[in-house]
């Protein structure tokens, strides 16, 4: 996702927090090889869909960059420290 690749995945519960259907890829509710390959082919055969998912994947993944995550952790630790005083 960080590389700007569209995602096709089966819903494993945790990945549904990262993949939004028809935004940065496709997430399937249950294993189905035919549907899985259909979704991959729909992205591969549509330049517009690939570019949309690619841009959205890259943008979405930035929320999880090490810089953003580190800043958030520092904020949480400061809050915990202040509550402990």
């Amino acid at each position: 996702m960080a590389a700007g690749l569209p995602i096709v995945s089966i819903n494993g519960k945790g990945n549904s927090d990262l993949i939004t259907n028809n935004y940065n890829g496709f997430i399937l509710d249950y294993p189905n090889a035919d549907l899985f390959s259909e979704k991959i082919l729909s992205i591969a055969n549509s330049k517009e869909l690939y570019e949309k998912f690619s841009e959205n994947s890259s943008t979405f993944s930035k929320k999880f960059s090490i810089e953003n995550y580190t800043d958030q952790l520092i904020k949480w630790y400061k809050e915990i420290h202040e509550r402990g005083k």
Side-chain angles (χ1 to χ4, degrees), residues 13-83:
K13 303 305 177 203
N15 53 1
S16 62
D17 294 334
L18 303 173
I19 304 162
T20 301
N21 226 8
N22 209 29
Y23 173 75
N24 57 356
F26 294 113
I27 188 161
L28 309 178
D29 290 327
Y30 53 90
N32 179 319
D34 291 333
L35 185 57
F36 196 85
S37 62
E38 178 185 309
K39 296 299 184 183
I40 291 171
L41 289 172
S42 70
I43 295 169
N45 292 327
S46 171
K47 182 179 179 181
E48 294 80 20
L49 189 60
Y50 178 87
E51 288 175 352
K52 171 188 162 184
F53 286 177
S54 178
E55 182 178 329
N56 292 340
S57 287
S58 181
T59 300
F60 182 82
S61 70
K62 289 179 182 159
K63 290 190 225 179
F64 301 97
S65 72
I66 190 68
E67 293 85 6
N68 290 339
Y69 190 69
T70 302
D71 290 344
Q72 187 63 42
L73 279 176
I74 291 169
K75 179 182 170 187
W76 288 333
Y77 287 133
K78 286 180 179 178
E79 289 172 2
I80 291 168
H81 178 73
E82 288 300 315
R83 280 187 250 146

